[in-house]
Structure formats: C-alpha cells, structure tokens
Amino acid sequence: METRRITVLSAGLGVPSSSRLLADQLAASAKRQLGDAGYEVRVDVVELRDLAVDIANNFVTGYAAPRLAEVIAGVEDSDGIIAVTPVFSASYSGLFKSFIDVLDPKSLDGKAVLLGATGGTDRHQMVLDYAMRPLFTYLRTRITQTSVFAGPQDWGNADDGASPLSVRVDRAAGELARLLSGEQPHRKVDAMESLPFEQLLAGITAGR
C-alpha cells in the first residue's frame, strides 16, 4: 500500500484556536478520502506558535534550531500540505509568512496544497484568493481549486455533516486527495547514498 504524507501547518495563536479546529477537520477528511482510495496516510500537525522563537532566531542567525530544522525537513518530505492561518490586517499572519520565508522556496515546487483561513467576519475570506493563493502560486505548488474560510457562524453549532462548513471541507479535502493520487511530481529524492568503491567502479565501467 502506497503512503502519502501530509503536513498540516496551523498558525493559530490561541489554545484551542479556530485555525487548528479547521486544520483538523481538513486533515481528517483528506485522510479518510485518501484511505478510501487505497492509500495509507501519515498526518503531521505543526503548531507554528510553538516555533515562533526559533523562527525569529533563524532570521537573525541564519541557523535553524533542531526543532525547527526537523519541521522544515518534514515539510520538504511531505507529499501534501494543509496550510491554515488566522487573518490579520486583511492578510495571513506574520507568524505564518515568517515560517514560509524560512523554507527553501524550491522545496515546495510541485507539492499539493490545500489552503484555509479563519477570521472574525466573512469579509476576511478574500485573503484566500488575494494573499494566500498568490503566495503558493509563486512557490509553484499545486493548489486545490477549493479553499476553505471559516468564520464565527461556522462554530458552536451541531455539525452533522450537512452544514456548509462540512460541505466545503469535504470538497476541498477531496480535491487534495485527487492531487495526491497517482504519481507525484518532484517527490523528494533520497539522500545521496555512499557506495563502496567497487560498486562505483563497476558503474563507471558499465557505462563505457
């Protein structure tokens, strides 16, 4: 059974945060739909607020602390990314953008991405198309057609699978599942293996 690895990036600041709640719903739906398609799914959730100090230090020192380096490696090794941010000043949060800035831009090339955002009013949902989508388009990712915004009206009610939020979540997660099905472009190449001299010589000889 093939495995698909999804990294969930949540930039929420509260505990719990609406961004994390949305991220969890998107991840659960994507995992279920990929499982139905015959894939084994590994989901890694990253709370960016836990890395805030390491991210700031990385800008100053140019060095990623071990915990941040591990997360960066996990993102690079992922097949897909679910990225959810709260909206501040009509855009993604500074913490969210700062984390994206510490990544090697080429490391996201070709990755499947599902975008989500949360805010205090529906007027903020434009951030998905006017801030987040251009950012991830610049990074040459494959973005689902459907992005998901969750406002105050989407929380605090009984969600029986028929609410507008559930419909949007399942539609977007289904699109991510389809992007992650089949052969994946630009999958991370395994680290260069050190071969014995005899094998290297044999390969050179065979190529003559």
Side-chain angles (χ1 to χ4, degrees):
M1 179 180 292
E2 288 190 59
T3 300
R4 291 291 181 264
R5 181 176 178 181
I6 298 174
T7 295
V8 180
L9 303 175
S10 172
L13 300 180
V15 181
S17 71
S18 57
S19 294
R20 175 61 188 271
L21 292 173
L22 177 58
D24 285 345
Q25 290 191 26
L26 292 168
S29 183
K31 183 175 182 179
R32 173 176 52 80
Q33 295 188 58
L34 277 168
D36 291 343
Y39 291 92
E40 182 177 343
V41 184
R42 174 181 171 183
V43 176
D44 298 311
V45 180
V46 178
E47 289 276 12
L48 295 183
R49 69 169 180 272
D50 296 334
L51 299 168
V53 173
D54 289 342
I55 292 171
N57 287 337
N58 186 87
F59 280 108
V60 176
T61 66
Y63 169 76
R67 182 174 58 167
L68 177 59
E70 182 179 355
V71 170
I72 292 173
V75 170
E76 293 177 349
D77 196 41
S78 295
D79 298 296
I81 297 171
I82 296 174
V84 182
T85 178
V87 178
F88 292 111
S89 301
S91 189
Y92 36 66
S93 72
L95 175 62
F96 179 83
K97 181 57 163 59
S98 294
F99 176 75
I100 298 300
D101 284 343
V102 303
L103 300 174
D104 178 355
K106 295 181 181 179
S107 69
L108 298 182
D109 194 341
K111 291 191 186 299
V113 175
L114 194 167
L115 303 175
T118 59
T121 171
D122 280 347
R123 293 196 301 270
H124 289 317
Q125 63 185 304
M126 301 297 286
V127 70
L128 290 165
D129 289 328
Y130 288 93
M132 294 188 72
R133 191 172 291 274
L135 171 63
F136 283 89
T137 298
Y138 169 77
L139 295 170
R140 301 176 61 86
T141 62
R142 297 177 296 142
I143 310 170
T144 61
Q145 290 185 340
T146 302
S147 301
V148 182
F149 176 86
Q153 73 282 356
D154 293 308
W155 309 113
N157 52 51
D159 190 344
D160 58 3
S163 74
L165 179 59
S166 292
V167 172
R168 299 197 304 273
V169 164
D170 285 341
R171 181 169 63 241
E175 292 172 7
L176 180 66
R178 287 190 288 276
L179 287 177
L180 290 175
S181 298
E183 184 176 352
Q184 296 299 296
H186 307 295
R187 293 198 71 172
K188 184 178 179 181
V189 179
D190 292 336
M192 184 177 294
E193 182 182 1
S194 179
L195 297 176
F197 176 75
E198 293 80 3
Q199 286 185 248
L200 291 172
L201 182 60
I204 295 173
T205 302
R208 288 181 178 176

